[in-house]
Every structure is written in structure tokens, then in C-alpha cells.
Amino acid sequence: MKYSNFMEVTFKALSINEGFARVCVASFCVQLNPSVDEITDIKTAVSEAVTNCVVHAYPNAIKGDITLRCELEDDVITITVIDKGVGIKDVEKAREPFYTSKPGEDRSGMGFTVMESFMDEVEVTSNSFGTTVKMTKKIVNTMSEVRC
Amino acid sequence: MQIKSRISNGTLYVLLCGELDEHTANYTKLTLDELFSKPNFQKIVIDLSELAFMDSTGIGVLIGRYKKMKDKNIPIYICNPSSHAEKIFKMTGLYEIMPKIV
């Protein structure tokens, strides 16, 4: 039988919630017994996706929500970060290394590149009603006996 | 984020303690810029031994500081990065502008 589990949390698009999102996902992933490196990779990818929402999704003073969804299917974790913001005009361009839409703000433009490097797959869908980033990673270090 | 500093033999040593992400980036930028504006050193060493987490926002912060100090001809070096920070530095090519020292 397939092992599966699921969690979802919604929080305001504020930078203070980035640490919360990282810890939340890391805590949920622990049931797959990942290595420290795998957990750090996942935390970093989540941090990048949530940062994009915080910085870009809601340019007006009133900040909207970010939904963070984690699904486990056997040894694969799927993380989805969803905002209902203004969307990304050119997703392909945004995914290019060192591209930033805010060049005057000391931004590296490496957010998507980091996500792509640390996760196995990264899928971005965006329109004028929001952006969804879906990332998957297979946990190699899995020990099935920790699931109970 | 907590930032500690000392000057020794013309080198400004900066220790970053905590997590460097979007939430702490602005404080980090302002604090480093203030420390870097002092005239009594010729080299900067950023010690990351106490940095618990960093994402690409941290790279942006460091590149921004590099650009400012490049104009003053003051080199910046990185020491004691975690294996995770090292992975991000190598991916982004940061070591090409801020070499790692031991």
C-alpha cells in the first residue's frame, strides 16, 4: 500500500512568515527521515518560493495570502506554494539565472535557479490572478520503519 | 539576525549570527553598510560560522555590499560557510568576487 500524507497551511504574505514556512515544511518532512542535506535543500526551495510571493505577488500595501501545501506519496514530497497576487508576466524570463524585475534592490535573481537545483522538478503556472509553484523531490534517505 | 564585528590588524571581521532571508535582509544591509563605512580597515572578512540559514536573498545582500566596497578598493572574503551556504555560493559564482579563506 502506498504511504501518503498531506498538510496545508495559509498565512499572510509577510517576510516574518518565511521562517515559519521553512520550519513547517521541515517538520512535516521528518516522517520520511530525510538527511540533513535533503531537509536543508527543501527548506531553501520553500524559502525561495515564499520570498517570491512576499516580494512580488502583492505590490500594494495590503498583503494577500500564501498557501503552502505538502503532499507525501511514498518517498516523494510535493510542495505547492500558491498566491493570489498579480502574477508573473514572463515566467520563462523570471526563471533565467540572475534575472530580477527589481534590479535596484540588491536582489540576486537566483530564486528559481536555487529551487530548480535543490528540487527534482519545479513547475510554475502564473496568470493575472496569481502564481502557483509546484516542486517535487524524492527523499533518497527514506527509512520506512519510521512511519507509524 | 545578530551581527558582531571587530577590527584587527587592518581587517574588519564580521560575524553573521542567525538566519539571512528576506525578513532579515534589510537589517543586515543597513548594519553592514554602517560597519563598512568606517575608514580604519583595508580588508573585510565575513564569518558565516554562526549563520544557521541563508537563501538567495543573502546572495543579493552580499553582492550589493561587494559592489559598494569595490568602489573603495576594499576586498571582501568569506570564511566558515556551512556546506549548504557553500552550495549556494558555488551555484551563484559568489566566490569569484568574494573568495573563501580559511
Side-chain angles (χ1 to χ4, degrees), chain B residues 27-84:
Chain B
Y27 169 78
T28 306
K29 279 183 212 173
L30 293 173
T31 308
L32 291 181
D33 284 348
E34 194 186 328
L35 289 170
F36 291 3
S37 68
K38 291 172 186 170
N40 45 352
F41 55 87
Q42 294 80 46
K43 188 170 104 177
I44 296 167
V45 174
I46 300 179
D47 185 345
L48 301 180
S49 58
E50 302 291 319
L51 191 68
F53 178 83
M54 188 189 74
D55 60 17
S56 73
T57 304
I59 297 294
V61 170
L62 292 174
I63 291 174
R65 308 303 51 82
Y66 163 78
K67 285 179 183 167
K68 288 193 174 186
M69 299 321 287
K70 193 184 170 203
D71 295 340
K72 294 182 180 177
N73 233 357
I74 294 179
I76 304 178
Y77 298 91
I78 299 290
C79 76
N80 299 321
S82 64
S83 59
H84 171 68

Side-chain angles (χ1 to χ4, degrees), chain B residues 4-18:
Chain B
K4 298 174 186 171
S5 69
R6 68 182 167 88
I7 292 174
S8 173
N9 296 325
T11 300
L12 170 66
Y13 292 90
V14 179
L15 180 68
L16 301 185
C17 314

Side-chain angles (χ1 to χ4, degrees), chain A residues 15 18 22 41 44 47-48, chain B residues 19 21 23 55-56 84 87:
Chain A
S15 65
E18 290 178 10
R22 291 195 295 267
D41 286 355
T44 309
S47 198
E48 299 293 354
Chain B
E19 299 192 325
D21 64 4
H23 189 59
D55 60 17
S56 73
H84 171 68
K87 217 163 149 181

